[in-house]
Structures are given as C-alpha cells and as structure tokens.
Amino acid sequence: MFRKLHLLLTLFIFNFTWGQIVINEVDGDNPSTDFYEFIELKSSTPNLSLDGYVLVFFNAGSSAPYSGISSYYTFDLDGYVTDINGIVHVGNTQVSPAPAGNIPNNTIQNGPDVVALYLGNDTDFPVFTAATNANLIDAVAYTNNVSNYPTALMNILGITICSADIENTSSISKSIQRKNDGTYEVKTPTPGVNNDGTGIPITRINITTSVTEVDEAASFTITFTANLPISGNDLSFTYVLNNNNFNAADFTGDLNVIIPVGQTTVVKTIQLLDDGINEDDEVLNIYVETLPTGYMMNRNNVKVRVHDANFIVQSWGTPLNPTFGVVSSTAPAGYYSSINGLSGSTLKQALQDIIADPNIVRAQNYGDVETILKVCDVNPLNSSQVWLMYVEQPLSKLDYQTSNYNIGVWNREHIFPQSRGGFSNGTSSFADGIDIWLPTNANDILTGHSDAHHIRAEDGTENSFRSNKNYGNVNTSTMYAGPAATQGSWKGDVARALMYMDVRYNALNVVNGDVAESPTGNIGDLATLLTWHQQDPPDDFEMNRNNYIYTWQFNRNPFIDNPDLASYIFGTNVGQPYTLDNEIFETSKVVVYPNPTTDYIIIAGIESDAKAEIFSITGQKIKEVKFTNEITLALNDVTAGVYLVKISTENSSITKKIIVR
C-alpha cells in the first residue's frame, strides 16, 4: 500500500511540475535582420529551477531533410532559473534586457514552425528528430504567412492555434505573447518582464565585454550595467574569471565592483598575462556569484576566448600548402616485409595480417578519438587549432561540438559512414585513455566505429551535408564531391582511408559505382577514389597523422606508407607481384627539396645510378634525366603547379609530389 501511495504522490508532483512552466513569448522574426530573436518562459512560482527541461525547435518545411516533422535546434535549460516574477528568456545577444542564455543570431526560423518545451535534455533531440508529444510540456505554433500553417506539426503536438507574426523591413518589431487566460496576442516585444506589464521591478545587472576574443598578453574591458540607477546604498559585489585551466596566474585586474548610488555603470580593465606555455586557446568565464537582495544578474557566465600566444608552428605544411619528405614514416624496420613479392588476394591477405593482427593491434573507443584528432589533425600553422578536412580551413580545438547544434563547430567525421559500415555506436563515447584498450581482429566490425585511420576533424555542418553518401566528382543526393569552393586537398586522404578500411575489415568493401546503402558494408566509387589517390598523393600532414595514430592503435595505413600498393590491390596492377621499394634502396633517405620550389629541385639519398622523371598531375611527362647519387634539376621552364617526380634505379622506384610556384 505504501508503494502505491508513493507512486501516486510522485505522479501528482510530476504532473503539477508540468503545469508550472509555459512558453510565454516567442519572437522568431524581426524586421530586416533576425538579431533580436528570443523565447521567454514563465513559471507559476518564482525562482523555479529549469533543470530537466529543454526547448526544441521544429521546422515545418516540406522538403528534405525536415519533411515537416523534425527538429533543427535545441536549447538545454539545465542551470537556468526563473526570476521573482517567474520569468526567464533566452535569445540573441542584442535582445534587451540581455537574455539569460544566448541563441546564435538568425537561428530561430521565421515559420511556419513550432517551438516546444519538453522534459528532457538536448541530447534527447539530435538534429532531424521527429516531433513527438511524449514528455511535451508546452508548444507554440507560429507562422509569418497566414496562408501557410505548420499543420502536420500541430497535429502531432496537439496544438490547435497558430499565431501569425508577419515582419518586413519597414514593419515594427512584434512578438507572439501569451495572455493570462492562455490565449495569444501579437504586439511589441516585452522580453524579461510580464507581458501585461505587472510584476515586481527588478534591478538587473548585465555584463558586456569590449571583445569576445582576445590574444594572450592583451587587455580588455568588462562593463557591469544596471538597468536602473542604483538607489539606497552603493551596490558592491565581486566577480571571478576562473574557468578550467584559466586561473589567477593568467591575468591581473580588480575583481571588486562598486556602482555608486545614482549610477548604472562601472568598467573594469583586465590585463592578460603571457605565461610562456603552449596550452592551446582558453576561455575565461566572467561570473558574479552573489548579489545583494533586490538585485539579479541578467546575464552571467559571460565567456571570452583567449588565444594562446605560445602555439607551435610545425615544419610541415597544411593540406592546402603541402610539404613532402619532412615527416618520415615511423614504421619499424620490416613492418611490411611479409608482403614483398606477393600478388592478388594473397597480397591483400598478408597486408590485413599486418594491420589487423589480433596479437598486436589495439581497439580504442570513440571517446578517445576526440583526443586523438586534437593531435593528429592539428593545424601545422597553429597548434591551438585542428584542420577541417572537407572545408580546408582550421578551427580552434575549443570549438568541438558538444550538443546537436552543429554550426560553427567541428566534430568527428567517419569517412566510411557508420550506417554503411554497420558499426554505428559500436564503442563507448567516454574516453578512457591510451592505456585502456581491447584486442581486435579483421572480423571485429564494431571497432570501425572508433578506428581513427578513417575519422577526421570536420566542420559540423559540412559533415551533416556529406551524410552517408558515396564519393564522386559531382554532388548529388547520393554522391559527395565536397564543397564547391575548395581545392580538393582532402580527396587522396579519403581514398586512402577507405582503401585501408577495405583491407582492415572483412565486412567492408570499396566498390565501383554509386552503390546503394543497403546492404551494409559497401561504399563507392572505387574508380573515382583511385583517381583521387593519384592526383593527391600522401603529404607530410597525412604521414604525421599516420605516425600518431600508430602510437594508439599499433597499426598503420599502408597506402600512406606505400602509395603504389593501391594499384596492386585495387587498380591496374592487380595480380602482379608487389616489390617493396625499400627492398632495393631506403626510401626514407631519398629526399627531394626544396619543396615547394620556384626554379630547381635537388634529388639526393641514392647511392647508385638512377633516373628522374617529372610528370604533370595528369600524367604527361615533362622532363627526364639520368644521374648518379645526387642531382640539381633546373625547373625554370616549368609552369607553376603540382608535379610528380618518379625516381628509379635498375630494380625499384619511388614517386614524390612537388609544388612549383
């Protein structure tokens, strides 16, 4: 009996809590630019914690990927509390009074759409989540076109009313506001206060900064502003800047604030210190812990990014400006010796025996991949950043995606898509470090979920656009050719990653054509990938990541170490015996420099008679010369571009890529 009473009491409290909070105001469309969007909530009791609630924004468009019923953004409300009037609002930074939480500009769509309040967390609603009425607390439907309503969404969520907020460049800003009787009206926005103008006046303190990003050793200002002149006694409080590794050793400045009676503003100057340590970019957090009675922080936890002044610049180039021969393979002597002289399926099996050896190779988990990428995909020009493959640009390591909002952040891109490979969520997402691992083998397909040889740092939005498509030379609904404005510096990397996956895992295959997603295990297009492999040979950036991943997984991508293997396993040399270059001469000692160059190259590291041939990227031979041991080869008559230098002895050869400027 006690258990039944306890259950009934729990359900009563749970349902009562549901009725305490509603969506009170929605402003999703503004005249001209949408920089004043916000969502306001109201609780029936003051100072209500919003832990366990989440705002979910649904798009009602009829075209993919939304198809009229799926989400495009969430805002987790954990940590937020309504004020003495039961009000809290979140929105763009230009909204006044400043919102308690920030939503990026132009994020809330104009309509016809729905914003919904649920019990749950943002992780419960990844982008493109179908609308549901499970755990729904409240929802508001709105449109900017009276002839177009989010009917499908309204039916799913049980909404019967849709309000129209129609804005244009000459209109006055309006918002959709809930009245005390539960109906809605459209009028001038009233963020942060009761819509009917009632309530207790609150003196709110807002924090603004002179910058949002600042270099280490520079200074910036913090402005504390009250919305009303201070009355009675001077307002006195303290604030902190500490956040993770950012602490008192990183700055100097006065952390005590006094706003005199009759005044509204105080400005503080913070001087950042150069600690001389390479520690990547950091974020300081301006936080006021307590205020006297009658005052409330309107915007707290204001963050400023601090760019590390002691970042490392590597000796090798980015994929856009590649270098070759600066980074040497760390493969142990004889690592590939067992494949020498083999051909066909025997060659492929011998290669798999190396890179999937259950007695040597280690399986890490997906959580560890974030740690791995922050090292192996580091921007060679700035160690505080990672290099984003498809979009060919760097981004701070700090901008790692931690929610389902994927704009302006980077995440982990599976080159062989999870759904195609059959290894979705195959390993834990909680990092446990380099020393904790599991044995693996060629049949262990779930390890593909966390195999860093085919996972790259990537722009979140581009990763979503790439989805699980095959690779090809034209972007279509099923083929991916990359962003139109980029140079394709990633294409060879993709080809070699997929060829590695084909050899590493028995269940995976790289095949010709625009292959269907089902059954799992196949991805195309092989012919395109072989061309990309030739046009974009492995550079120092790729060799460096191969070396680093080897320290975690104890295996390597052989198509980076020995690019010509691709032809013997997938291309025109299938069936022919494969001969390792370094069985004849040590490739690690063969150097071609300077690279990039302008008018000459030096070829050295060979102790015999040799021949050098220079080919254009399309295969046209430009030059040929014979030499012994070393040669300086003039390139005055060669136009700027990318070329392949093939260096051959009587029994072996090696090809290196050069850039002529």
Side-chain angles (χ1 to χ4, degrees):
M1 176 61 109
F2 177 78
R3 289 186 61 189
K4 290 182 180 179
L5 288 173
H6 183 266
L7 178 60
L8 289 172
L9 180 61
T10 300
L11 290 173
F12 172 78
I13 294 173
F14 193 55
N15 288 321
F16 177 72
T17 301
W18 281 17
Q20 284 188 307
I21 186 80
V22 295
I23 298 173
N24 200 49
E25 189 169 357
V26 175
D27 191 352
D29 192 7
N30 310 137
S32 186
T33 54
D34 286 343
F35 291 169
Y36 300 90
E37 305 165 332
F38 69 91
I39 304 295
E40 181 183 87
L41 303 175
K42 181 175 177 60
S43 60
S44 57
T45 58
N47 307 314
L48 178 71
S49 170
L50 300 183
D51 289 352
Y53 292 93
V54 59
L55 284 170
V56 182
F57 298 78
F58 291 103
N59 178 280
S62 58
S63 59
Y66 301 106
S67 301
I69 57 169
S70 56
S71 65
Y72 66 90
Y73 182 68
T74 61
F75 192 96
D76 197 301
L77 293 165
D78 286 352
Y80 292 92
V81 179
T82 61
D83 63 22
I84 195 170
N85 294 312
I87 297 291
V88 66
H89 68 297
V90 296
N92 303 158
T93 56
Q94 289 93 328
V95 174
S96 180
N102 294 331
I103 295 176
N105 288 341
N106 204 30
T107 294
I108 302 176
Q109 298 180 5
N110 294 345
D113 293 315
V114 169
V115 57
L117 178 68
Y118 286 92
L119 283 172
N121 298 293
D122 59 349
T123 53
D124 299 325
F125 297 89
V127 174
F128 309 143
T129 296
T132 176
N133 59 10
N135 295 323
L136 179 67
I137 305 301
D138 192 23
V140 174
Y142 61 96
T143 183
N144 63 350
N145 185 340
V146 292
S147 63
N148 192 8
Y149 291 88
T151 306
L153 274 169
M154 293 173 66
N155 290 337
I156 294 171
L157 300 176
I159 305 172
T160 58
I161 298 174
C162 178
S163 300
D165 179 11
I166 302 172
E167 307 276 4
N168 55 59
T169 56
S170 61
S171 69
I172 298 172
S173 183
K174 299 181 288 293
S175 67
I176 299 166
Q177 300 178 30
R178 188 178 190 274
K179 298 165 65 176
N180 292 333
D181 62 3
T183 61
Y184 295 89
E185 61 182 339
V186 178
K187 63 179 186 177
T188 303
T190 61
V193 297
N194 286 334
N195 295 335
D196 61 2
T198 62
I200 301 171
I202 300 173
T203 301
R204 302 172 185 269
I205 307 301
N206 191 43
I207 300 172
T208 57
T209 59
S210 58
V211 295
T212 56
E213 300 188 22
V214 62
D215 293 334
E216 196 174 50
S219 63
F220 71 99
T221 60
I222 306 172
T223 301
F224 297 90
T225 304
N227 66 318
L228 300 171
I230 303 303
S231 61
N233 298 305
D234 294 348
L235 172 61
S236 177
F237 59 89
T238 61
Y239 65 99
V240 296
L241 302 180
N242 292 12
N243 185 41
N244 294 326
N245 293 331
F246 188 92
N247 54 48
D250 293 311
F251 70 94
T252 59
D254 183 10
L255 301 181
N256 299 298
V257 176
I258 298 177
I259 303 180
V261 171
Q263 302 297 311
T264 59
T265 303
V266 164
V267 179
K268 295 291 182 178
T269 298
I270 300 297
Q271 177 64 54
L272 299 176
L273 305 176
D274 183 354
D275 56 13
I277 302 172
N278 171 38
E279 53 190 352
D280 293 338
D281 294 348
E282 297 177 299
V283 174
L284 64 84
N285 183 48
I286 307 165
Y287 178 67
V288 176
E289 294 180 318
T290 58
L291 285 173
T293 301
Y295 294 93
M296 179 178 179
M297 288 305 302
N298 194 55
R299 186 183 179 212
N300 213 352
N301 289 306
V302 175
K303 294 176 171 54
V304 175
R305 177 163 300 180
V306 180
H307 295 292
D308 186 17
N310 304 285
F311 60 82
I312 296 173
V313 177
Q314 301 292 351
S315 58
W316 59 89
T318 69
L320 271 184
N321 294 284
T323 57
F324 303 88
V326 176
V327 181
S328 299
S329 170
T330 57
Y335 184 77
Y336 294 107
S337 61
S338 60
I339 68 173
N340 197 46
L342 302 181
S343 63
S345 60
T346 304
L347 171 63
K348 185 176 182 180
Q349 182 60 56
L351 198 59
Q352 185 186 76
D353 291 343
I354 298 170
I355 66 174
D357 187 341
N359 298 310
I360 297 176
V361 178
R362 297 180 174 184
Q364 304 290 343
N365 67 42
Y366 193 46
D368 289 323
V369 173
E370 178 188 344
T371 304
I372 295 171
L373 294 184
K374 287 178 178 178
V375 178
C376 72
D377 283 0
V378 69
N379 176 17
L381 301 180
N382 186 334
S383 58
S384 296
Q385 303 170 334
V386 290
W387 184 264
L388 307 184
M389 182 177 66
Y390 297 136
V391 296
E392 300 179 330
Q393 61 190 27
L395 193 64
S396 175
K397 293 177 181 177
L398 289 172
D399 293 317
Y400 180 74
Q401 182 176 341
T402 57
S403 70
N404 61 358
Y405 186 71
N406 65 0
I407 299 175
V409 295
W410 67 275
N411 56 28
R412 296 162 289 190
E413 152 73 342
H414 287 86
I415 295 176
F416 203 119
Q418 297 187 62
S419 60
R420 282 185 173 271
F423 44 73
S424 297
N425 303 314
T427 64
S428 170
S429 292
F430 295 96
D432 51 21
I434 193 170
D435 294 324
I436 299 178
W437 50 274
L438 292 172
T440 183
N441 56 63
N443 293 316
D444 181 15
I445 188 59
L446 293 181
T447 300
H449 178 246
S450 59
D451 194 322
H453 282 301
H454 86 116
I455 304 176
R456 294 290 290 265
E458 190 48 71
D459 173 75
T461 304
E462 189 62 29
N463 191 353
S464 294
F465 175 74
R466 180 267 186 278
S467 185
N468 61 356
K469 301 174 184 176
N470 295 298
Y471 289 93
N473 288 316
V474 179
N475 283 321
T476 68
S477 61
T478 57
M479 300 288 284
Y480 180 75
T486 55
Q487 298 181 28
S489 64
W490 50 271
K491 292 184 174 180
D493 304 47
V494 162
R496 287 178 285 277
L498 291 178
M499 289 187 286
Y500 160 87
M501 294 294 283
D502 181 296
V503 176
R504 167 67 175 86
Y505 299 96
N506 286 331
L508 303 182
N509 303 283
V510 183
V511 298
N512 281 308
D514 190 4
V515 62
E517 179 182 351
S518 180
T520 59
N522 298 323
I523 192 169
D525 169 50
L526 176 60
T528 298
L529 294 167
L530 286 170
T531 300
W532 288 359
H533 171 65
Q534 292 296 324
Q535 293 176 343
D536 176 34
D539 54 23
D540 288 318
F541 183 93
E542 204 173 353
M543 182 62 78
N544 176 69
R545 82 182 314 273
N546 198 20
N547 289 344
Y548 185 71
I549 294 170
Y550 179 59
T551 66
W552 282 75
Q553 297 184 184
F554 284 26
N555 73 346
R556 303 181 64 84
N557 185 332
F559 302 101
I560 298 173
D561 292 330
N562 301 284
D564 55 339
L565 266 172
S567 179
Y568 287 82
I569 293 180
F570 299 101
T572 57
N573 295 110
V574 170
Q576 299 178 20
Y578 179 74
T579 302
L580 283 166
D581 285 337
N582 60 7
E583 291 296 309
I584 307 302
F585 59 86
E586 295 184 56
T587 57
S588 62
K589 293 183 178 181
V590 178
V591 293
V592 178
Y593 66 96
N595 188 16
T597 185
T598 54
D599 51 6
Y600 74 95
I601 55 172
I602 298 173
I603 303 173
I606 300 174
E607 299 178 357
S608 63
D609 294 335
K611 177 176 66 174
E613 300 167 280
I614 299 181
F615 297 88
S616 70
I617 203 67
T618 59
Q620 180 183 3
K621 185 185 290 189
I622 306 299
K623 282 182 178 291
E624 178 180 331
V625 62
K626 295 181 179 180
F627 67 99
T628 301
N629 300 338
E630 182 175 319
I631 188 174
T632 299
L633 185 57
L635 300 176
N636 307 72
D637 56 344
V638 175
T639 59
V642 179
Y643 296 88
L644 301 177
V645 181
K646 183 177 182 180
I647 305 157
S648 307
T649 62
E650 181 179 357
N651 298 307
S652 189
S653 67
I654 185 173
T655 300
K656 291 183 175 288
K657 182 178 177 182
I658 64 168
I659 297 175
V660 178
R661 292 176 174 170

